[in-house]
Amino acid sequence: MAMNWFISTLTSSIGKKMTMALTGLFLISFLVVHAGVNALIFYNDGGDTFTKGAHFMATNPIIRTIEVVLVVGILWHIVQGLLLWRANRAARPIRYAVVSHPPQSTWYSRSMTLLGTLILLFLVVHTSNFWIPNRTHQFLYGEELPLYEMMLEKFSNPIEVAIYLLGAFSLYWHLLHGFSSAFTSLGLTHKKYTGLVRFAGRIFSLVIFLTFAMMPLSIFLGWIR
C-alpha cells in the first residue's frame, strides 16, 4: 500500500515537478564544485593549481562515488523534464494560432526544454573531450591525462570555444528560471524571501555563466597559458 502510494505520488504531475526540483538542486550543488575547480585555471600558474584540484576530484573516493549519483541525477532530471513537456503538450493537443502569455512569463521559462536539449548536447561534447577520455585512461593505465594541456589544445580551436560559449549561454538561461522554480515546486516560497531567492538565482546564474564562458575564452585569447 505504501509503495503504491509512493509510486503514484512520484509519477503524478506534482511528484514529477518535485523530482525535477530536487534533482535540479542537486545538479546546482555539483555546478558549484565543478565551477570552483575550473576557476583554478585563473591562477595562471601554468596549470599547477588546476592540476592539483583536478587530481583531487579524480582520485577522491567520495567524489568518485558522487559521480555515479550525478550521472543518475542528470538522467533522471532529463527524463522528468521530457515527461513534463509531453504531459503539457498532451493537455493542449490543439495548438492556438496566437498564444497569449501572462505578463510575468519570460521566454526562457517557456524554453526550458529547448535550453535543456542544448545543454545535453553540450554535455555530450564536454564529456567526450575530457571526462570520458580521462576516466578511461585511469581505468586502463591507472594514471590521469594532462587535462590542462588538453584544455589549451581544445580551446585553441574557435569552433570548440563557440560550442562552450553556447553551452554556458544556454546554462545561464536555464538556471535563471530553474533556480527559483525549484524552490517554488518544493513549496519553499514566501513573500518575505521570494525576492531574495530570485536575486540569489540571478547572481548564481551569472557567476556560473562567467566562470564557464571565460575559461575557454581566456585560453583562446591567450590570457591564460
Side-chain angles (χ1 to χ4, degrees):
M1 179 74 72
M3 180 59 68
N4 291 337
W5 174 85
F6 176 76
I7 294 175
S8 62
T9 301
L10 195 64
T11 55
S12 67
S13 177
I14 295 177
K16 291 174 183 176
K17 289 181 179 180
M18 291 185 65
T19 303
M20 279 287 289
L22 290 171
T23 54
L25 290 176
F26 172 68
L27 297 178
I28 282 174
S29 67
F30 161 75
L31 282 175
V32 173
V33 177
H34 193 52
V37 174
N38 282 351
L40 295 178
I41 69 164
F42 297 116
Y43 274 95
N44 205 10
D45 56 0
D48 183 58
T49 303
F50 170 81
T51 300
K52 290 177 181 177
H55 174 73
F56 172 78
M57 295 290 290
T59 57
N60 186 284
I62 297 177
I63 299 296
R64 297 295 297 273
T65 303
I66 293 176
E67 281 184 353
V68 178
V69 181
L70 176 66
V71 172
V72 174
I74 290 175
L75 294 177
W76 200 349
H77 192 75
I78 292 171
V79 169
Q80 291 294 77
L82 291 175
L83 289 174
L84 283 172
W85 174 78
R86 188 177 69 175
N88 291 334
R89 295 274 294 187
R92 189 181 297 172
I94 300 177
R95 304 298 300 275
Y96 300 113
V98 177
V99 179
S100 178
H101 300 292
Q104 68 274 18
S105 176
T106 59
W107 73 267
Y108 50 87
S109 68
R110 301 190 301 269
S111 307
M112 292 295 279
T113 303
L114 172 61
L115 293 169
T117 302
L118 291 175
I119 294 170
L120 175 60
L121 294 175
F122 165 73
L123 285 175
V124 171
V125 174
H126 178 61
T127 54
S128 299
N129 280 345
F130 300 106
W131 189 79
I132 293 176
N134 192 43
R135 289 295 180 268
T136 302
H137 200 269
Q138 278 184 288
F139 178 76
L140 294 176
Y141 304 106
E143 59 183 20
E144 301 163 59
L145 291 173
L147 291 177
Y148 186 75
E149 286 73 15
M150 291 170 64
M151 289 169 62
L152 295 180
E153 179 185 357
K154 287 290 183 183
F155 298 141
S156 65
N157 184 337
I159 296 178
E160 291 281 356
V161 174
I163 291 173
Y164 273 75
L165 291 178
L166 177 62
F169 184 76
S170 301
L171 181 60
Y172 169 75
W173 294 110
H174 195 76
L175 286 173
L176 197 60
H177 174 70
F179 188 95
S180 58
S181 178
F183 287 89
T184 301
S185 297
L186 294 173
L188 303 176
T189 55
H190 191 280
K191 61 181 181 180
K192 289 185 178 180
Y193 52 79
T194 296
L196 179 61
V197 169
R198 290 178 179 173
F199 177 75
R202 293 189 188 102
I203 297 299
F204 177 79
S205 303
L206 183 61
V207 170
I208 293 296
F209 166 72
L210 290 176
T211 302
F212 287 136
M214 290 305 298
M215 181 184 66
L217 193 60
S218 297
I219 293 175
F220 180 74
L221 295 175
W223 298 341
I224 294 176
R225 299 183 183 277

